[in-house]
Amino acid sequence: MWMLENAFLIPLIPALSFAVILFFGKRFIGADRVHVIGITAVSLIWVLSLVAAFQWTQRVEHPSPDAIAQISADGHGDDHADDGDDHAGAAMDSESGHGGGHSSVLISPVVTTYSKWWSNGGVDFAVGTHVDGLTVLLLVVVASISLLVHIYSTEYVKGDRRYVHYYAFLSLFTAAMLFFVMAQNIVQLVVGWELVGVCSFGLIGHWWEEKPNTDAALKAFLTNRVGDIGLLVGMIVLWGTFGTFSIDGINAAISASPGTQHLALLVAACCLMAAVASKSGQFPLHTWLPDAMAGPTPVSALIHAATMVVAGVYMIARLYPVFYDGFSIGTSSINLMALIGGFTALMGAGLAFAQWDIKKVLAYSTVSQLGYMVMALGVGAWTAAIFHLFTHAFFKACLFLGAGSVSHAAHHTFDMRKMGGLKKFMPQTYWTFVIATLALSGIFPFAGFWSKDEILLGAKVGQQNGYPLMLIFGCAVAFMTAAYMTRVVWYTFHGEYRGHGHPHESPKVMTVPLWILAGMAVVGGAFNLPGPVLEPFGLEGLAHRVQTYAEPSVYLSGLGLSHPDPSLSMALIGLGLALSGIIVTYLYFWRKMGPHGLTERNKYAKAGYTFLENKYYLDYLYNDIIVASIKKPIANGANWFNQNVLDKAVNTAGESARDSGRWIYKWIDQGAIDGSVNAAARGADASGEGLRTIQSGKVQNYGQLLFGAAAVLAIVFVIVI
Amino acid sequence: MLLNQFLILGAVLFCIGVYGVLARKNAVMVLMSIELMLNAVNINMVAFGFQHEVVSGQVFALFIIAVAAAEVGVGLAIVLLLYRNQTSIDVEDFDLMKG
Amino acid sequence: MEALLAFTRPPLDWHALAPELTLLAVGTILTLVDIIWDEKSKQVMPTLAGVGLLAGLVPILTLALDGTDRAMFGGAYMVDDFALVMKALFLIVGYIIVLMSVDYIRDGDYYENEYYTLMLTSLLGMLMMASSRDLISVFVALELLSIPAYMMAAWRKGGRRSNEAGLKYYLMGVFASAIMLYGMSLIYGLTGSTSFSSIASAMALNDGVTAMSILGVLFVLIGFAFKVSAVPFHNWAPDTYEGAPTPVTAFLAVASKAAGMVALIQLVFVAFDNHEVIQPFFWLIAALTMTVGNLIALRQTNIVRLLAYSGIAQGGFMLVPFAVAGQASERALQAIVIYLIIYAFMNLGAFSVVLAVSRKTRSGELESFGGLFQYAPGLAVAMTIFLAALAGIPPAGGWFAKFGLFRALLDAGGAWAATLGVVVAINTVIAFAYYARVLGQMWFQPIHEGDERPIKLTSALGSALVIALVATMAFGILPGLVGHFGEVAVLSTLGR
C-alpha cells in the first residue's frame, strides 16, 4: 500500500514539472519542446494513479486488520439496520467468492499526516493526504484526461507564442487539481480550490490579446470569488462545529451521530452549495462557464469537462455527510441541492438548443450534466453521481477535443453555421464524436446509458421517499440531451459544407486521443454494471465496482444511505427517452433541411395511397362510386394529418424548444442573471463614486467630518448607554 | 466648585479652538486655534491634578507645552513652504488632490 | 528647592532601552556625519541608517532570549514580549523602507541626510509606542513619531502636491491629537492616574458609565482611529498618500498605521474595559472603514491612491477584532497582531513594485501598469502575489490574517459578531474587484505607451522586494511563524 501512503508524490510531480517548464523550459529545453516535460510528468502520475487505484482495490478486497474501520455497519439508525448489506443482490452473491466479504466490512481511508503545519492558539493543523476510493477514482480520471490533453495539445497549440506558458499552466493546473482531490483537511481543500481557480484564470485568458477572452477570464474568477465566500463561511462553520479541520474527522463525527448538529450543518451545507454553484456552474452562478470557452479547446476539455468544474461535485461527495444531514436528503422528497441540480440540468439542456457555437453547446451540456450529478447527490444517489462523473469525464472530453479537431480543420471557427458536411472530410473525428454523443445521450450500451440510468433510478427510489420531481426533471433532460446533441452532429457533420477553404482531417496526434476517449465512452459503463446484466455471463463478481471501491461506506453507512435495486423498466424508459430525442431531432432536421426529406415524407402518403389504391383495385369493377367517394377524403385526411399534425408537432416541438432556449438565454441567462450581477457591480461602483464626494480635497471639510463624527458618536453613546 | 469653573473654561476654550480650526481660512489662524485646544487640555490637566492631588497632571501639561512648541514649529515651517510656493496661506486653496 | 534636590534618578534598565538608544545613537551619528563631511556623506547615509536599524534588532534578540518583562518609570515604560514583537516589526519595516527610499531619494535630489535622520526619529517614536503603558508616554511617543512624518510627507519641497500632502497631514494630525489630548484629560480627571493599569483598576471601581468616561474614551480612541485612517477619520490619508513621496507613503501606510494599532491594542485590551462603549464603536468604524475604503477604491485610477484606499480598507479589517475585544480578547488580540505583521509585508511589497514601475513610467496612473507582464514578468508575478495576499487568496500570506479575523468573530459568537463576519466576507469580494483591475492591467492590457524597455531594478529596491516577497509567501505557507508571534504577544499583553 506504499502508493496510498505516499500519494503526495502525485501532485508533487506536475508541480515540479510546472517549475521546470517555467524556469528552464525556454532556456535549456527549447520553447517548442517543453511538452516533453509535461507529458513525461503526466504519464508518470498516470501510472502512479493506476498503481494507487490497484492498491486501493487490493485494500478493499483483502483488507488488512488496520484497514477495517472500528465502527460497525449497523451501529446506527434503527430503521436502516441493514444498510451495509444493502448492495444489489449480485454484489452480495459475489462475497463468498472473495472470502472477506467486502461490502459488509467498512474500509477506512488512508489518512497520512506528514507534519504539523502550524499550531496556533490550541489549534493544530497538519498537512497530509486523504486517500480512499473516491480519491483514486478522481486521480485516475484527472491523470488520464490530462495526459490525453497534453498529447493532443502538442498539435493544437503548436506554434503558439505562449507555448511554454501554456504547458506550464497545464502542469500547474493538474497539480492543483490532484492536490485538491487528496486534501486531508478542509484548509487544504480551500487552498486546492483556490489554486484550481487561479490556474483556470490563467488558462481561460491564455489568448489575452482579445478583449472577450480577458473578460471571460475575469468573469470566471469573479464569479468564483462569490462562491468562495460561501466556501469560506461554510468551512468556518464546519470547523467551528466540529473543532477539527480533518475531513475524516468531520465525516466520522457526523456519521457517528447523525442529526445532532442539524442546524449548523444546514448552514454549512447552504454556504458550501454556493461554492459548488460557482465552481460547478450551477444555477444561478453558471454564467461564467460558457463564456470561459474562450480558452484553448484542449483546456476547455480539461477544465470544463473533466476536472475543474467537477471540483464542486467532488466536494459534495467528499463531505457528503454534511450535505446529507444538512439537507435531510434521507428523509425529504425535495431539497435545495436536488432542486438546484435538477433545475440546472433542465435549464442547461434548454440553453444548449439555442447556441450556434459548438463549444457553447458543449458548455451548456456540461452545465446540464453537472446539474445531473448534483441532483443525483441531492437525491442520495452517491454512487450514481460519482459514476456519472467518471463516465462523463471521458465522453465530454472526447466531445470537446472533437470540437477542437473540427475547429482545427475548419479554420478556427466554432460557429456551426460555418460547418456542415464535415463527415466526409474528417471521418475519424466524426465517428468518435458520434460515439461520444451516443454515450452522452445515454444510448445502450455506451457509458452514459449506465450512469444516467442509475441517476434516474436513484431519483425514483430516493432514500426514504422518492424524488418524483427530480425524476421528471431527469427524464426531460435525458430527452433533451439526446435531441440537442443530435442537432450538433447534424449541423457539424452532415449536410453541405457551409464554410470556405478545405477542411481536412486532423493529424494522428489528435485523433488517437479521440479514439482512446471514444473507447472509454464505449466501455466506461462496465465499471459499475448492475448485477443482473452480468449474471448470464457468470461475472456477477464484477458488478458495481465503482460502488464497491469508491463509495466511502465508512462514512455513509452511518447515515443510513441505501442503494436501489436495478430496474429494467427504468432503464428502458431512459433509453426510450434518449432514442425519442434523437429520432425527433432527426426528423426535424431531416424535414427541414435534408434533401432526402421529401421522399421520406411522401412514403407515408405513398403508403396510404398504395393501400387505398389496392382497395380501389379490388372494388374497381363494381363499387366505383363508393370507392371514389371514400378515396379522396381519406387520402386527403392522411395527407393532412401527415402534413399538419405530425410535421407540425415535430416542428413545433423543435421550434418551441429552440425558442424557449433562446428566450431563456436572452432574458434569464444573459438578461436577468448577468444583469443583476452587473447591476450589483454598477451599484457598488456608483456608491464608490458617490462616496468620493466626501473627499472634497479641502482640509477643513475633513476636519469638520472628523469632529462631526466624533461629536455625533459621543452624543449617541452618551444617550444610548 | 472651583474645579467645575476650570473645566468649563477648558471646554469653552476647546470649543473656540475647534471652531477656529474648522472655520478660519488663514493657516496661521488655524495653527493658533489648535494652540487654544491644547491649552484647554492643559487647563483641564492642571485642574484635575489639583483635584486628585497628584503631580502627574502638571507633568502632563508640561509635556504638552513642550510638544506643542515642536508641533507649531513644524507647522509654521509647512505654512512658510506653502507661502513660498503658492503665495497663499488660505487653507481653502489647497485642494489639488481629491476624490 | 528641597524637593528638587531630593530628586533621584529613577533606575534605568540600559539593556531594555538598548534598541531605542541604538536608534538615537545612529540618528545622532547621521547628523554628525552630515555636518562633518557634508556632500561626501550622502553616499553612506542609507547604508548607515540601514545598518543602524538592523543593529537595533540585536538587543531585541537578546531581550527576547532573556525573556523577563522589564518595567521602568513606575510601569510607564514596559519591555515585554508584545513590545519586542512590535519593535522588531517596526525595525524590519523601517529597514525595508530605507531600502525602498535609497534610489528614490537620491534621484529626486532631496535632502538625503535629514530624510534618514527624521525617519529614524519617527521609528524611535514607534519603538517607544510599543513600550508605552502610560498616557503621557503614549502621547510623547505619538508626537515623536508624527512630527517627523509631517515633514517627510512634505519632503518634495518644490512640489505642490507634496506641500499639500504635508499640510493636510499636519493639520488633521494636530487637530486629532488635540482631540485625543482632551479625551486623555477627561480620563485623567476621572481616574486620577495616567498609567494604564491604574486607569483600568480605577475604571473598574467607578462602575456605571458616565458621560465623562464615554467622552474621554471616545476622544482618545478617535485620536488613534485617525492614525490608522479609520473612516470617518480617514480623509487625510488618500490625499497625503498621493502627494507624499512614495516611500514616505509606504512608511505612513505601514509603519505609522501599525504604531496607531499598537496604541489602540494597549488602550483597548489593557486600559479601558468599558466594552459597552468600545465594542459598538469599533463595530461601527470597522464596518464603515472596510466598506467605504473598498467602495471608493473601486473608482480610483491612480495606483498609489488605489493602494491608499486599499490600505484604509485593510485597516478596517484590522479593526474588526476590536469589536469583539470583550468576548474573545485573546483571539481578537492575536488576530490583530497577526494581521498587522502580514499586512506590513504584503503592503510594502506592493509599494515596492509601484516604486519600481514608476521609476520607469514616471506615472502613478493605473494605465502605467499596462502590459507589465510582457516587459517585466518578474515584477508582474510579484505584484500578483502581493495583490493576492491583500485579497486573501491562499497560499499568499493574507489568507491567514483573514482566517484569524474570522476565528476571533467565531469565538465571540452572537448576532453582532456574525453580522460583522458577513460584512467582512462581502468586503473581501468587493476588494477583489479592484485588485483584479490591477491584475487585468498587468496581464491583459497593451503595454503603456508602447514602451517595452525592461525595468532595471536597483539592488536596494530589489532587496526590499525580495524580503517582502519571501515574508509574504512564508507567512502564507508556514502560518505557524507569524501565529507564534501572535501568541507571544497575547500572553504578555493579557498577562495570562
Side-chain angles (χ1 to χ4, degrees), chain A residues 117-118 120-121 208 229 239 689 695 697 702 705, chain C residues 168 235 239 299 334 407 429 444 477 479 483 487:
Chain A
W117 188 13
W118 45 268
N120 182 270
W208 44 255
I229 308 177
W239 173 74
E689 189 63 50
Q695 198 75 19
Y702 300 173
L705 180 68
Chain C
K168 282 176 175 170
N235 298 76
D239 294 359
R299 301 291 304 170
Q334 200 179 341
R407 203 167 65 174
V429 174
F444 298 133
I477 295 164
E487 274 173 9

PDB file of all heavy atoms in Angstrom, chain A residues 117-118 120-121 208 229 239 689 695 697 702 705, chain C residues 168 235 239 299 334 407 429 444 477 479 483 487:
ATOM      1  N   TRP A 117       1.626  21.413  10.353  1.00  0.00           N
ATOM      2  CA  TRP A 117       1.889  22.561   9.500  1.00  0.00           C
ATOM      3  C   TRP A 117       2.009  23.798  10.361  1.00  0.00           C
ATOM      4  O   TRP A 117       2.993  24.487  10.370  1.00  0.00           O
ATOM      5  CB  TRP A 117       0.756  22.684   8.500  1.00  0.00           C
ATOM      6  CG  TRP A 117       0.984  23.712   7.453  1.00  0.00           C
ATOM      7  CD1 TRP A 117       2.162  24.342   7.175  1.00  0.00           C
ATOM      8  CD2 TRP A 117       0.031  24.226   6.553  1.00  0.00           C
ATOM      9  NE1 TRP A 117       1.991  25.216   6.145  1.00  0.00           N
ATOM     10  CE2 TRP A 117       0.699  25.183   5.751  1.00  0.00           C
ATOM     11  CE3 TRP A 117      -1.320  24.003   6.331  1.00  0.00           C
ATOM     12  CZ2 TRP A 117       0.048  25.877   4.749  1.00  0.00           C
ATOM     13  CZ3 TRP A 117      -1.946  24.706   5.332  1.00  0.00           C
ATOM     14  CH2 TRP A 117      -1.267  25.623   4.550  1.00  0.00           C
ATOM     15  N   TRP A 118       0.986  24.064  11.103  1.00  0.00           N
ATOM     16  CA  TRP A 118       1.120  25.124  12.077  1.00  0.00           C
ATOM     17  C   TRP A 118       0.222  24.838  13.246  1.00  0.00           C
ATOM     18  O   TRP A 118      -0.745  24.106  13.155  1.00  0.00           O
ATOM     19  CB  TRP A 118       0.841  26.496  11.508  1.00  0.00           C
ATOM     20  CG  TRP A 118      -0.359  26.617  10.636  1.00  0.00           C
ATOM     21  CD1 TRP A 118      -0.384  26.476   9.293  1.00  0.00           C
ATOM     22  CD2 TRP A 118      -1.706  26.902  11.023  1.00  0.00           C
ATOM     23  NE1 TRP A 118      -1.649  26.660   8.823  1.00  0.00           N
ATOM     24  CE2 TRP A 118      -2.479  26.933   9.850  1.00  0.00           C
ATOM     25  CE3 TRP A 118      -2.327  27.146  12.254  1.00  0.00           C
ATOM     26  CZ2 TRP A 118      -3.827  27.187   9.855  1.00  0.00           C
ATOM     27  CZ3 TRP A 118      -3.694  27.401  12.250  1.00  0.00           C
ATOM     28  CH2 TRP A 118      -4.422  27.423  11.055  1.00  0.00           C
ATOM     29  N   ASN A 120      -1.635  26.918  16.388  1.00  0.00           N
ATOM     30  CA  ASN A 120      -1.880  28.307  16.778  1.00  0.00           C
ATOM     31  C   ASN A 120      -3.069  28.343  17.702  1.00  0.00           C
ATOM     32  O   ASN A 120      -4.145  27.860  17.376  1.00  0.00           O
ATOM     33  CB  ASN A 120      -2.137  29.123  15.512  1.00  0.00           C
ATOM     34  CG  ASN A 120      -2.349  30.566  15.819  1.00  0.00           C
ATOM     35  OD1 ASN A 120      -3.462  30.977  16.046  1.00  0.00           O
ATOM     36  ND2 ASN A 120      -1.292  31.322  15.850  1.00  0.00           N
ATOM     37  N   GLY A 121      -2.882  28.914  18.846  1.00  0.00           N
ATOM     38  CA  GLY A 121      -3.990  29.075  19.767  1.00  0.00           C
ATOM     39  C   GLY A 121      -4.728  27.786  20.045  1.00  0.00           C
ATOM     40  O   GLY A 121      -5.946  27.738  20.042  1.00  0.00           O
ATOM     41  N   TRP A 208      -4.883  36.471 -24.313  1.00  0.00           N
ATOM     42  CA  TRP A 208      -5.461  37.645 -23.682  1.00  0.00           C
ATOM     43  C   TRP A 208      -5.454  38.864 -24.551  1.00  0.00           C
ATOM     44  O   TRP A 208      -5.925  39.912 -24.168  1.00  0.00           O
ATOM     45  CB  TRP A 208      -4.808  37.929 -22.351  1.00  0.00           C
ATOM     46  CG  TRP A 208      -3.316  37.824 -22.322  1.00  0.00           C
ATOM     47  CD1 TRP A 208      -2.603  36.815 -21.775  1.00  0.00           C
ATOM     48  CD2 TRP A 208      -2.363  38.723 -22.847  1.00  0.00           C
ATOM     49  NE1 TRP A 208      -1.272  37.033 -21.932  1.00  0.00           N
ATOM     50  CE2 TRP A 208      -1.092  38.200 -22.592  1.00  0.00           C
ATOM     51  CE3 TRP A 208      -2.462  39.942 -23.519  1.00  0.00           C
ATOM     52  CZ2 TRP A 208       0.071  38.823 -22.984  1.00  0.00           C
ATOM     53  CZ3 TRP A 208      -1.287  40.578 -23.917  1.00  0.00           C
ATOM     54  CH2 TRP A 208      -0.038  40.003 -23.648  1.00  0.00           C
ATOM     55  N   ILE A 229     -16.913  33.007  -0.978  1.00  0.00           N
ATOM     56  CA  ILE A 229     -17.403  33.480   0.324  1.00  0.00           C
ATOM     57  C   ILE A 229     -18.148  32.337   0.981  1.00  0.00           C
ATOM     58  O   ILE A 229     -17.968  32.041   2.153  1.00  0.00           O
ATOM     59  CB  ILE A 229     -18.400  34.643   0.178  1.00  0.00           C
ATOM     60  CG1 ILE A 229     -17.818  35.730  -0.684  1.00  0.00           C
ATOM     61  CG2 ILE A 229     -18.789  35.196   1.527  1.00  0.00           C
ATOM     62  CD1 ILE A 229     -18.838  36.835  -0.891  1.00  0.00           C
ATOM     63  N   TRP A 239     -15.711  23.958  10.816  1.00  0.00           N
ATOM     64  CA  TRP A 239     -14.604  23.902  11.776  1.00  0.00           C
ATOM     65  C   TRP A 239     -15.087  24.306  13.159  1.00  0.00           C
ATOM     66  O   TRP A 239     -14.738  23.700  14.169  1.00  0.00           O
ATOM     67  CB  TRP A 239     -13.489  24.823  11.289  1.00  0.00           C
ATOM     68  CG  TRP A 239     -12.393  24.963  12.266  1.00  0.00           C
ATOM     69  CD1 TRP A 239     -11.447  24.046  12.567  1.00  0.00           C
ATOM     70  CD2 TRP A 239     -12.163  26.099  13.100  1.00  0.00           C
ATOM     71  NE1 TRP A 239     -10.627  24.537  13.534  1.00  0.00           N
ATOM     72  CE2 TRP A 239     -11.043  25.785  13.887  1.00  0.00           C
ATOM     73  CE3 TRP A 239     -12.780  27.326  13.262  1.00  0.00           C
ATOM     74  CZ2 TRP A 239     -10.521  26.665  14.814  1.00  0.00           C
ATOM     75  CZ3 TRP A 239     -12.270  28.203  14.178  1.00  0.00           C
ATOM     76  CH2 TRP A 239     -11.152  27.878  14.936  1.00  0.00           C
ATOM     77  N   GLU A 689     -18.468  56.035  -6.350  1.00  0.00           N
ATOM     78  CA  GLU A 689     -18.412  57.374  -6.936  1.00  0.00           C
ATOM     79  C   GLU A 689     -19.044  58.399  -5.989  1.00  0.00           C
ATOM     80  O   GLU A 689     -18.513  59.483  -5.766  1.00  0.00           O
ATOM     81  CB  GLU A 689     -19.169  57.338  -8.267  1.00  0.00           C
ATOM     82  CG  GLU A 689     -19.022  58.596  -9.100  1.00  0.00           C
ATOM     83  CD  GLU A 689     -17.575  58.833  -9.510  1.00  0.00           C
ATOM     84  OE1 GLU A 689     -16.959  57.893 -10.014  1.00  0.00           O
ATOM     85  OE2 GLU A 689     -17.083  59.956  -9.304  1.00  0.00           O
ATOM     86  N   GLN A 695     -14.566  63.204  -0.233  1.00  0.00           N
ATOM     87  CA  GLN A 695     -13.158  63.551  -0.335  1.00  0.00           C
ATOM     88  C   GLN A 695     -13.028  64.823  -1.152  1.00  0.00           C
ATOM     89  O   GLN A 695     -12.635  64.806  -2.300  1.00  0.00           O
ATOM     90  CB  GLN A 695     -12.427  62.379  -0.994  1.00  0.00           C
ATOM     91  CG  GLN A 695     -10.946  62.389  -0.802  1.00  0.00           C
ATOM     92  CD  GLN A 695     -10.588  61.972   0.601  1.00  0.00           C
ATOM     93  OE1 GLN A 695     -11.383  61.358   1.286  1.00  0.00           O
ATOM     94  NE2 GLN A 695      -9.396  62.297   1.035  1.00  0.00           N
ATOM     95  N   GLY A 697     -11.160  67.378  -0.933  1.00  0.00           N
ATOM     96  CA  GLY A 697      -9.851  67.975  -1.136  1.00  0.00           C
ATOM     97  C   GLY A 697      -9.590  69.140  -0.193  1.00  0.00           C
ATOM     98  O   GLY A 697      -8.466  69.586  -0.055  1.00  0.00           O
ATOM     99  N   TYR A 702     -12.453  67.986   5.895  1.00  0.00           N
ATOM    100  CA  TYR A 702     -12.015  66.766   6.581  1.00  0.00           C
ATOM    101  C   TYR A 702     -12.130  66.953   8.094  1.00  0.00           C
ATOM    102  O   TYR A 702     -12.583  66.073   8.818  1.00  0.00           O
ATOM    103  CB  TYR A 702     -10.563  66.430   6.225  1.00  0.00           C
ATOM    104  CG  TYR A 702     -10.297  66.199   4.757  1.00  0.00           C
ATOM    105  CD1 TYR A 702      -9.002  66.031   4.302  1.00  0.00           C
ATOM    106  CD2 TYR A 702     -11.335  66.126   3.833  1.00  0.00           C
ATOM    107  CE1 TYR A 702      -8.738  65.819   2.962  1.00  0.00           C
ATOM    108  CE2 TYR A 702     -11.077  65.918   2.494  1.00  0.00           C
ATOM    109  CZ  TYR A 702      -9.780  65.771   2.064  1.00  0.00           C
ATOM    110  OH  TYR A 702      -9.511  65.558   0.767  1.00  0.00           O
ATOM    111  N   LEU A 705     -15.671  66.796   9.145  1.00  0.00           N
ATOM    112  CA  LEU A 705     -16.152  65.410   9.190  1.00  0.00           C
ATOM    113  C   LEU A 705     -15.622  64.716  10.439  1.00  0.00           C
ATOM    114  O   LEU A 705     -16.348  64.023  11.154  1.00  0.00           O
ATOM    115  CB  LEU A 705     -15.711  64.666   7.934  1.00  0.00           C
ATOM    116  CG  LEU A 705     -16.170  63.215   7.874  1.00  0.00           C
ATOM    117  CD1 LEU A 705     -17.680  63.152   7.719  1.00  0.00           C
ATOM    118  CD2 LEU A 705     -15.510  62.478   6.723  1.00  0.00           C
TER     119      LEU A 705
ATOM    120  N   LYS C 168      -2.093  68.900   4.825  1.00  0.00           N
ATOM    121  CA  LYS C 168      -3.291  68.168   5.232  1.00  0.00           C
ATOM    122  C   LYS C 168      -2.970  67.203   6.365  1.00  0.00           C
ATOM    123  O   LYS C 168      -3.712  67.095   7.347  1.00  0.00           O
ATOM    124  CB  LYS C 168      -3.875  67.416   4.040  1.00  0.00           C
ATOM    125  CG  LYS C 168      -4.657  68.319   3.117  1.00  0.00           C
ATOM    126  CD  LYS C 168      -5.154  67.597   1.901  1.00  0.00           C
ATOM    127  CE  LYS C 168      -6.041  68.543   1.086  1.00  0.00           C
ATOM    128  NZ  LYS C 168      -6.375  67.981  -0.219  1.00  0.00           N
ATOM    129  N   ASN C 235      -9.983  60.975   5.927  1.00  0.00           N
ATOM    130  CA  ASN C 235      -9.867  61.796   4.722  1.00  0.00           C
ATOM    131  C   ASN C 235      -8.464  62.237   4.368  1.00  0.00           C
ATOM    132  O   ASN C 235      -8.140  62.393   3.199  1.00  0.00           O
ATOM    133  CB  ASN C 235     -10.718  63.063   4.868  1.00  0.00           C
ATOM    134  CG  ASN C 235     -12.155  62.738   5.014  1.00  0.00           C
ATOM    135  OD1 ASN C 235     -12.582  62.321   6.073  1.00  0.00           O
ATOM    136  ND2 ASN C 235     -12.911  62.898   3.954  1.00  0.00           N
ATOM    137  N   ASP C 239      -5.205  61.725   0.224  1.00  0.00           N
ATOM    138  CA  ASP C 239      -4.523  62.905  -0.310  1.00  0.00           C
ATOM    139  C   ASP C 239      -3.062  62.904   0.087  1.00  0.00           C
ATOM    140  O   ASP C 239      -2.178  63.172  -0.731  1.00  0.00           O
ATOM    141  CB  ASP C 239      -5.196  64.179   0.222  1.00  0.00           C
ATOM    142  CG  ASP C 239      -6.612  64.330  -0.314  1.00  0.00           C
ATOM    143  OD1 ASP C 239      -7.028  63.447  -1.092  1.00  0.00           O
ATOM    144  OD2 ASP C 239      -7.294  65.286   0.062  1.00  0.00           O
ATOM    145  N   ARG C 299     -13.233  53.126  -7.641  1.00  0.00           N
ATOM    146  CA  ARG C 299     -13.290  54.186  -8.630  1.00  0.00           C
ATOM    147  C   ARG C 299     -11.946  54.869  -8.853  1.00  0.00           C
ATOM    148  O   ARG C 299     -11.895  55.898  -9.512  1.00  0.00           O
ATOM    149  CB  ARG C 299     -14.305  55.250  -8.185  1.00  0.00           C
ATOM    150  CG  ARG C 299     -15.691  54.726  -7.984  1.00  0.00           C
ATOM    151  CD  ARG C 299     -16.322  54.332  -9.272  1.00  0.00           C
ATOM    152  NE  ARG C 299     -16.332  55.423 -10.233  1.00  0.00           N
ATOM    153  CZ  ARG C 299     -16.662  55.292 -11.498  1.00  0.00           C
ATOM    154  NH1 ARG C 299     -16.990  54.123 -11.962  1.00  0.00           N
ATOM    155  NH2 ARG C 299     -16.655  56.326 -12.299  1.00  0.00           N
ATOM    156  N   GLN C 334      -4.778  38.398  19.150  1.00  0.00           N
ATOM    157  CA  GLN C 334      -3.899  37.626  18.294  1.00  0.00           C
ATOM    158  C   GLN C 334      -4.180  37.927  16.827  1.00  0.00           C
ATOM    159  O   GLN C 334      -3.265  38.098  16.021  1.00  0.00           O
ATOM    160  CB  GLN C 334      -4.158  36.157  18.589  1.00  0.00           C
ATOM    161  CG  GLN C 334      -3.028  35.275  18.154  1.00  0.00           C
ATOM    162  CD  GLN C 334      -3.365  33.847  18.499  1.00  0.00           C
ATOM    163  OE1 GLN C 334      -4.236  33.571  19.333  1.00  0.00           O
ATOM    164  NE2 GLN C 334      -2.697  32.919  17.866  1.00  0.00           N
ATOM    165  N   ARG C 407     -11.806  33.743  12.931  1.00  0.00           N
ATOM    166  CA  ARG C 407     -11.768  32.904  14.122  1.00  0.00           C
ATOM    167  C   ARG C 407     -12.133  33.717  15.361  1.00  0.00           C
ATOM    168  O   ARG C 407     -12.865  33.242  16.223  1.00  0.00           O
ATOM    169  CB  ARG C 407     -10.387  32.280  14.276  1.00  0.00           C
ATOM    170  CG  ARG C 407     -10.456  31.025  15.109  1.00  0.00           C
ATOM    171  CD  ARG C 407      -9.204  30.263  15.001  1.00  0.00           C
ATOM    172  NE  ARG C 407      -8.104  31.010  15.574  1.00  0.00           N
ATOM    173  CZ  ARG C 407      -6.894  30.510  15.713  1.00  0.00           C
ATOM    174  NH1 ARG C 407      -6.646  29.287  15.316  1.00  0.00           N
ATOM    175  NH2 ARG C 407      -5.939  31.216  16.247  1.00  0.00           N
ATOM    176  N   VAL C 429     -14.848  40.338  -1.108  1.00  0.00           N
ATOM    177  CA  VAL C 429     -15.171  40.192  -2.528  1.00  0.00           C
ATOM    178  C   VAL C 429     -15.068  41.530  -3.259  1.00  0.00           C
ATOM    179  O   VAL C 429     -14.496  41.620  -4.343  1.00  0.00           O
ATOM    180  CB  VAL C 429     -16.567  39.597  -2.696  1.00  0.00           C
ATOM    181  CG1 VAL C 429     -16.952  39.591  -4.154  1.00  0.00           C
ATOM    182  CG2 VAL C 429     -16.593  38.211  -2.137  1.00  0.00           C
ATOM    183  N   PHE C 444      -3.225  41.701 -19.073  1.00  0.00           N
ATOM    184  CA  PHE C 444      -4.023  41.617 -20.295  1.00  0.00           C
ATOM    185  C   PHE C 444      -4.004  42.874 -21.151  1.00  0.00           C
ATOM    186  O   PHE C 444      -4.461  42.858 -22.270  1.00  0.00           O
ATOM    187  CB  PHE C 444      -5.475  41.298 -19.947  1.00  0.00           C
ATOM    188  CG  PHE C 444      -5.628  39.982 -19.261  1.00  0.00           C
ATOM    189  CD1 PHE C 444      -6.410  39.864 -18.127  1.00  0.00           C
ATOM    190  CD2 PHE C 444      -4.986  38.863 -19.746  1.00  0.00           C
ATOM    191  CE1 PHE C 444      -6.546  38.648 -17.503  1.00  0.00           C
ATOM    192  CE2 PHE C 444      -5.126  37.651 -19.122  1.00  0.00           C
ATOM    193  CZ  PHE C 444      -5.904  37.535 -17.994  1.00  0.00           C
ATOM    194  N   ILE C 477       2.511  30.111   3.595  1.00  0.00           N
ATOM    195  CA  ILE C 477       2.742  28.672   3.555  1.00  0.00           C
ATOM    196  C   ILE C 477       3.027  28.126   4.942  1.00  0.00           C
ATOM    197  O   ILE C 477       2.640  27.013   5.277  1.00  0.00           O
ATOM    198  CB  ILE C 477       3.880  28.363   2.559  1.00  0.00           C
ATOM    199  CG1 ILE C 477       3.419  28.748   1.150  1.00  0.00           C
ATOM    200  CG2 ILE C 477       4.263  26.907   2.601  1.00  0.00           C
ATOM    201  CD1 ILE C 477       4.506  28.855   0.146  1.00  0.00           C
ATOM    202  N   PRO C 479       2.104  29.479   8.212  1.00  0.00           N
ATOM    203  CA  PRO C 479       1.492  30.490   9.073  1.00  0.00           C
ATOM    204  C   PRO C 479       1.889  30.337  10.534  1.00  0.00           C
ATOM    205  O   PRO C 479       1.702  31.265  11.317  1.00  0.00           O
ATOM    206  CB  PRO C 479      -0.003  30.274   8.901  1.00  0.00           C
ATOM    207  CG  PRO C 479      -0.172  29.123   8.027  1.00  0.00           C
ATOM    208  CD  PRO C 479       1.130  28.582   7.609  1.00  0.00           C
ATOM    209  N   GLY C 483       1.916  33.077  13.510  1.00  0.00           N
ATOM    210  CA  GLY C 483       0.995  32.694  14.578  1.00  0.00           C
ATOM    211  C   GLY C 483       1.692  32.660  15.921  1.00  0.00           C
ATOM    212  O   GLY C 483       1.147  33.069  16.947  1.00  0.00           O
ATOM    213  N   GLU C 487       0.821  34.666  19.381  1.00  0.00           N
ATOM    214  CA  GLU C 487       0.579  34.057  20.691  1.00  0.00           C
ATOM    215  C   GLU C 487       1.433  34.691  21.773  1.00  0.00           C
ATOM    216  O   GLU C 487       0.962  34.979  22.872  1.00  0.00           O
ATOM    217  CB  GLU C 487       0.886  32.562  20.624  1.00  0.00           C
ATOM    218  CG  GLU C 487      -0.303  31.775  20.150  1.00  0.00           C
ATOM    219  CD  GLU C 487       0.043  30.324  19.930  1.00  0.00           C
ATOM    220  OE1 GLU C 487       1.146  29.890  20.309  1.00  0.00           O
ATOM    221  OE2 GLU C 487      -0.802  29.636  19.360  1.00  0.00           O
TER     222      GLU C 487
END
